[in-house]
Every structure is written in structure tokens, then in C-alpha cells.
């Protein structure tokens, strides 16, 4: 009996490993569809950000209550997964609670602590479900959060509750079996568990065979659930549980106001102005995705392969929490733009291209693109470049960077600016100011002052 | 004291001809040069520089737009044309230190120009004024015009989030001995006035409200006597908002430089 169970377990584990491997490889390849960008500067600052913002969840505490609740799930999941290690070894070796004799009294403490966290996770997930579906918190409802994204969020929360319930009832049924001294379960030295102890009374009346069946069911449900969850996550906004860490590490350190330079343009402009090609500019401190000598591809971005790999990593890291959108001045005043949607669109387009590659087709031959098929010009034009979205994102995403690259494509490749912008451009070109004033009048403001008001 | 001063606005060309170098270049910016309302701010700041005897200069007609609106709108060619020409002028005069009353100019000169060969120490006038206050060079007359008045400060995106300058403008306001009241969304969470990223130069996209109206409502909720700004675009947007709410007699929009100049 145990042999068969072990074999099934190993097969499950191996298949999950294989699926996960393929999926992770796909994600990495999708991110690599983006342009090269060297991000190597200042590793100590980067580690510090990763520690504070990703591990320490610093920005989540901008909203202290939600931050705390999210922290419970985060810590719960991180720590309860230590238990998964024992479960996997037990599953492979056919043992039961292998760590108990080794850890002695500490084992009882550990399981109690896990149970405490599990209860915390259940409570918080329930509150989150209520906030999302009954209280209908505004930030969690938007035109981009219908259909799959809405189901995704609810599925995850429900699933987390079920997993934790399986863990608790597994401990409860196991405790009864241990107390009855049933063989394989009768491990000495395990103390009582607080929370599952309460649940044990539910199982006391059961006969031993039924108990064993339930114990096995809960054990399998819990571990297969976690493994399945691991795969599911890679298709979901919940990928942030992994991506938040590298994404924070690679987040830009420059002042938010600085825009990515375009060396190809610099080269051309200097040529036009009759200036020597080189400058003493410290361009190595600035972000740019191309070197000046690279064959100029597109100006700006029309599709995901025109964006930097970091923009694409951003898209896989987005949790769809909508903090960005809730602080976006354009969105607040009813415009179409939602920075969260920019990230979701980028990710959807990336997945679409990835699937083409997966099915053996050549990428980017479907006649679609991120601009127009996903993100409209009306959205792009509404951005005030205020950086509110960038500032507030808990996983250091920049929706603004993508918006600006798409705008560059619109203006530089298509010259499709609104009329009033074209007028501004021509003023800038002819009058060196965005308004139609003569450059020779630029200093007139001082006349009044010099004449003693 | 201001009546006795003979105000000077030296240009770099004049200084160069005299073989002098200024302590700091005052970058006026397009709004500061052409916008009727913001010209008052330029004049106020020039007066402060004069009153304190700071050796400054301006570029006068040699200044061009930094290119910020073009760059944020997506027109990189136009931006770099303007930027590189400005850098030629600035480097030609061997400029080291720049102060400007426009956060957009500030951001572009400070962050966008280095990659194009323009490296300067760039200060926003709020930082410049704060330094002068800290050094004791600005001494405000006790019981000035704004003492005890309720002032709310609107964070400019290009000063705040773009460059993490949140405290300097507030410290300047504190020197006025006024009552500083914060809006609900301030500092990192400050709400944009709606003008950045080229919005100043086009109609807003369809929506259900103008951004400046949303912002001025929030500002008015603090019952201010003065809405203080540190940016020409914010100035326009919020002043328009106040007109829209027909509050222009009760609530004034002032730039930091005006507040300081009037109390100096
Ligand atoms: S930068 Fe653009 S997208 Fe981001 S919050 Fe501001 S207006 Fe919205
Ligand atoms: S971009 Fe950041 S703030 Fe916006 S929804 Fe995604 S994770 Fe949340």
C-alpha cells in the first residue's frame, strides 16, 4: 500500500517539476523578448531595496491595515512552506512526520506556530474576499478587472483557505490516530496542537479506517494543492510572490523624473547641428536600451519587443492591486487611462506572443501589437507623467516608462500627435518656447524691473 | 528697503564682457519669461537675489526652452535639438550652478542633461531659498504679511516624486510664521495639478472632471488663505481652479518666491 502511494507521489512530484520547468522557461524567454538593458550599478543599494521593499514589504504599509493583513498571508505562506519540506520527504520515503523525533519538543512548537499562521491566513483571506466581493473596495473594481482577473483573485483566496483548512484538519485527524496508537501514526513525543486540537473533537467519533482515509485525503489534498498552486501561480497575477524580489532588485535607482535617453537621436542631432559626435556626457549613468551605434530600430515602442526586458519583468510582477490606478490623476477624473491596465495589457500581449512561439509560429507575425490592439492612444495621451503610479507601486513597477515609450512611437514614427501638440512642437522649433512668442521678447520681463517697476 | 534698491538683471553676455563669473545662473524658463502671471514670480525672485546681493546672471535671449514638454510628449528629436543647443550655450559660459523657479526646467537640467553632456549643480528656487534661510541670509520682518495666515502647499510632481524634494518648500513657508495646513493627498501622495507631461498644451482627454478642479477642491477643503505653489504650471492650473470655484477674492495662489519677497 505504502509503496504504491510513494510511487504515485513521486510521479506527481516529477510531473509538477516538469510542467513548472517548462513554464518558468517560457516566462524567462518571454521576458527576454524585450530589448537588452544593462542593470548592474550599485548592487548594495539594490539589495537594500530588495530587503526593505520586497522582503520587508515597506510600501505595503502605506496602508497600514491592509499592509498588516497582507503581511500575515505573506509570512504565513513563507513559513508554512517549511512544513512542505517534511511532507515531501515523508511522501517520497513513506515515513510519517519524519522531523518529529529529530526535533523533539521543538516540533510541537513549530507545528503549533504553523497552525497559528494558518488560522491567520484563513481569517485574512476571508476578509479579503469580503472586501473584494461584498464591500466592493473601489480600487478592486475597474473595467480591466472583470472576467478572468476577477476570477483569478477570488480563486486564489478561496484556494488558500482550502489549503489551510486541509492542513488543520490533517493535523486534527492525525492527532486522533496518534492518540489511538494506530500503527504508523503512533509517534512518541509529539505534544498537543492548539488549533487542530479543537478540531480533533470532530473526528473522535470516527472509526479508525475512516480516520485513516480522511487523514490520507487531507494530506494529499494539501500537498497536491500546494504543488498545483505553484503551477497555477505562474499563469496568474500571483506570480508576484516570486517576481516581486528580482523586480525590486532591478528597479531603477535614478530620480523618477529622468527619462531614458536615446543615443541614436543624440548622434543624429549632433550631426545636424554640426557638432562633434562625442560629448563629455556621462551617459553610462543614464538608462538607455541601445548604444548609439546600433542600427536604429524603431523609435519608441509599438510592441513588447520594443520595450526593455525590465518593462516586461514589471508586467509579470504586477499584482493587479490597483494602488497605481487609485492615485492616477487621469483615472481619478474619469479618463480611460489606468496604469494597472497598462501592466496587464503588456503581460497579456507577452503571453500571446509566447503562445505563438510555443505553437511553433513565428513571433510577431499575427498583425497585432501592444499599441492599438491592447493600449489605445486615448489612454496614452491622458498621462500627466506625474509618477504617482511609480511612487506607490509596492513591487517597484513603472507603468510610466511603458507609456512614455509608446508615446515616443506615436510621435516619432507616426507623427500622430494631437493638433495642439503639433502646434506646441512647431512653437518649440521656431520660437524656442512652447508658446507662440518671439524669442527676441524672452527677456522683456526684466524691462519693468530695470525701469524701477 | 526695496524702494532704495536699483534692481539689476545682468546677463551672462554682459558678465563675460566684464570678465566676471556669477555665483549662480538664474534659469528663467519659458513660463517665467512669457506667462504674465509667472513673470511676477520671476520678478519676485530677481528682487530677492538683488536684495540679498547675490551675484547672479540670466541668459536673457540666449535661453531656450529646456525641451521638457517636447520630451514628455514623445518628441525626442525636438527635445534633443533644444537641449543640445542649450548645453552648448551653458558650457560655453562655463556654467557650474543653476537655480530655476520651474520644477520642469529643474528636472530636465538636473536629470536629463547629463546624458547629453550638460553637468551642472541644479537647484530649484525652493532649495535655494531654504539654504538662504538656514544660513540666516534671509531674515523676514517679524509679523510679516502672511503671519498667522493659513497656507496650504501643493506639491509639484516634478519637484516631489520626480526628485524627492518635499521639505524645502515647506521649510520656506515655515519661515513666514504662517499656519501650514496639509491637504489630504500631499508629499509622496500629492495629486498632480493636471498639467505635466505635455497636458498643459492640449485639451484633456475625455473624462468626468478636470484634474485641476479635483485638486482645488481638495485645497479649498483646508480653508486656506493662500494656496502656495512652486511651479508655473501648477500656478496656472490652480488659479484657474479657484476662478472656476469663484473664490479668487478669498483665496490667493502665490509662488514661494512671491511670499518671501513680500515679507523681506
Ligand atoms: S504617471 Fe501617468 S499613469 Fe502614472 S499616475 Fe501619473 S498620470 Fe497616471
Ligand atoms: S503596477 Fe504596481 S501598483 Fe499598479 S496594480 Fe500592478 S502591482 Fe499594483
Amino acid at each position: 500500500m505504502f509503496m504504491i502511494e510513494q510511487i504515485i507521489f513521486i510521479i506527481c512530484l516529477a510531473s509538477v517539476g516538469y510542467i513548472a520547468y517548462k513554464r518558468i522557461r517560457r516566462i524567462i524567454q518571454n521576458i527576454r523578448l524585450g530589448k537588452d538593458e544593462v542593470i548592474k550599478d550599485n548592487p548594495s543599494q539594490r539589495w537594500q531595496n530588495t530587503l526593505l521593499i520586497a522582503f520587508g514589504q515597506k510600501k505595503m504599509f502605506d496602508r497600514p491595515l491592509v499592509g498588516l493583513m497582507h503581511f500575515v498571508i505573506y509570512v504565513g505562506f513563507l513559513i508554512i512552506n517549511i512544513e512542505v519540506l517534511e511532507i515531501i520527504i515523508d511522501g517520497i520515503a513513506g515515513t510519517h512526520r519524519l522531523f518529529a523525533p529529530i526535533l523533539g519538543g521543538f516540533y510541537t512548537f513549530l507545528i503549533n506556530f504553523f497552525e497559528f499562521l494558518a488560522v491567520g491566513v484563513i481569517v485574512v483571506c476571508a476578509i479579503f474576499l469580503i472586501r473584494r466581493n461584498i464591500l466592493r473596495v473601489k480600487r478592486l473594481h475597474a473595467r480591466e478587472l472583470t472576467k478572468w482577473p476577477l476570477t483569478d483573485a477570488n480563486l486564489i483566496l478561496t484556494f488558500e483557505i482550502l489549503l489551510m483548512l486541509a492542513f488543520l484538519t490533517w493535523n486534527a485527524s492525525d492527532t486522533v490516530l496518534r492518540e489511538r496508537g494506530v500503527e504508523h501514526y503512533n509517534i512518541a513525543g509529539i505534544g498537543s496542537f492548539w488549533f487542530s486540537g479543537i478540531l480533533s473533537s470532530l473526528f473522535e467519533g470516527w472509526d479508525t479506517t475512516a480516520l485513516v482515509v480522511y487523514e490520507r485525503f487531507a494530506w494529499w489534498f494539501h500537498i497536491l494543492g500546494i504543488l498545483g498552486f505553484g503551477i497555477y501561480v505562474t499563469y496568474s497575477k500571483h506570480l508576484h510572490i516570486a517576481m516581486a524580489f528580482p523586480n525590486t532588485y532591478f528597479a531603477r535607482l535614478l530620480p523618477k523624473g529622468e527619462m531614458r535617453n536615446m543615443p541614436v537621436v543624440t548622434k543624429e542631432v549632433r550631426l545636424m547641428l554640426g557638432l562633434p559626435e562625442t560629448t563629455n556626457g556621462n551617459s553610462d549613468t543614464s538608462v538607455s536600451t541601445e548604444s548609439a551605434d546600433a542600427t536604429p530600430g524603431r523609435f519608441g515602442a509599438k510592441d513588447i519587443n520594443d520595450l526593455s526586458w525590465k518593462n516586461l519583468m514589471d508586467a509579470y510582477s504586477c499584482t493587479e492591486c490597483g494602488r497605481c490606478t487609485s492615485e492616477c490623476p487621469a483615472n481619478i477624473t474619469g479618463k480611460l487611462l489606468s496604469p494597472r491596465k497598462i501592466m496587464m495589457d503588456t503581460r497579456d500581449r507577452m503571453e500571446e506572443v509566447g503562445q505563438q512561439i510555443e505553437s511553433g509560429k513565428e513571433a510577431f507575425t499575427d498583425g497585432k501589437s501592444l499599441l492599438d490592439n491592447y493600449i489605445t492612444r486615448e489612454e496614452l495621451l491622458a498621462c500627466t507623467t506625474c509618477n504617482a503610479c511609480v511612487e506607490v507601486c509596492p513591487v517597484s513597477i513603472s507603468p510610466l516608462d511603458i507609456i512614455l515609450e509608446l508615446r515616443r512611437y506615436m510621435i516619432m514614427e507616426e507623427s500622430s500627435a494631437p493638433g495642439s501638440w503639433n502646434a506646441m512642437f512647431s512653437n518649440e522649433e521656431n520660437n524656442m518656447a512652447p508658446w507662440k512668442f518671439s524669442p527676441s521678447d524672452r527677456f522683456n520681463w526684466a524691462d519693468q524691473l530695470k525701469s524701477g517697476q | 528697503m526695496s524702494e532704495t534698491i536699483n534692481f539689476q538683471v545682468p546677463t551672462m553676455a554682459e558678465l563675460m564682457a566684464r570678465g566676471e563669473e556669477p555665483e549662480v545662473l538664474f534659469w528663467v524658463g519659458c513660463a517665467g519669461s512669457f506667462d504674465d502671471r509667472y513673470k511676477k514670480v520671476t520678478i519676485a525672485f530677481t528682487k530677492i537675489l538683488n536684495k540679498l546681493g547675490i551675484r547672479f546672471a540670466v541668459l536673457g535671449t540666449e535661453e531656450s526652452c529646456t525641451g521638457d514638454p517636447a520630451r514628455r510628449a514623445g518628441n525626442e528629436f525636438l527635445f534633443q535639438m533644444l537641449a543640445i543647443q542649450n548645453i552648448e550655450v551653458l558650457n560655453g559660459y562655463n556654467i557650474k550652478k543653476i537655480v530655476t523657479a520651474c520644477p520642469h526646467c529643474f528636472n530636465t537640467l538636473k536629470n536629463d542633461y547629463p546624458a547629453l553632456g550638460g553637468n551642472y549643480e541644479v537647484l530649484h528656487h525652493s532649495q535655494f531659498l531654504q539654504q538662504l534661510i538656514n544660513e540666516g541670509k534671509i531674515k523676514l520682518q517679524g509679523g510679516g504679511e502672511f503671519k498667522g495666515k493659513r497656507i496650504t502647499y501643493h506639491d509639484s510632481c516634478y519637484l516631489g516624486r520626480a526628485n524627492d524634494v518635499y521639505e524645502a518648500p515647506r521649510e520656506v513657508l515655515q519661515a513666514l510664521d504662517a499656519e501650514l495646513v496639509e491637504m489630504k493627498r500631499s508629499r509622496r501622495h500629492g495629486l498632480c495639478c493636471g498639467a505635466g507631461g505635455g497636458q498643459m498644451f492640449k485639451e484633456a482627454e475625455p473624462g468626468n472632471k478636470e484634474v485641476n478642479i479635483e485638486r482645488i477642491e481638495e485645497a479649498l477643503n483646508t480653508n486656506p488663505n493662500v494656496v502656495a505653489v512652486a511651479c508655473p504650471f501648477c500656478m496656472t492650473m490652480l488659479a484657474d481652479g479657484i476662478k472656476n470655484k469663484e473664490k479668487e477674492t478669498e483665496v490667493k495662489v502665490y509662488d514661494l518666491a512671491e511670499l518671501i519677497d513680500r515679507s523681506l
Side-chain angles (χ1 to χ4, degrees), chain A residues 324 327-330 337 339 382-390 399-400 403:
Chain A
C324 51
E327 302 221 354
C328 171
L337 173 64
C383 176
T384 72
T385 70
C386 74
N387 263 306
C389 51
V390 185
L400 176 59
I403 293 171

Side-chain angles (χ1 to χ4, degrees), chain A residues 15-51:
Chain A
S15 339
V16 168
Y18 178 70
I19 299 169
Y21 163 75
K22 280 197 53 179
R23 179 64 188 151
I24 290 166
R25 204 180 55 171
R26 176 80 266 137
I27 289 171
I28 293 173
Q29 282 172 355
N30 283 356
I31 291 174
R32 289 222 173 116
L33 290 171
K35 287 202 230 169
D36 273 347
E37 178 180 349
V38 183
I39 306 180
K40 277 200 200 135
D41 57 313
N42 213 339
S44 63
Q45 180 66 47
R46 293 182 179 283
W47 279 115
Q48 200 182 324
N49 288 350
T50 312
L51 263 156

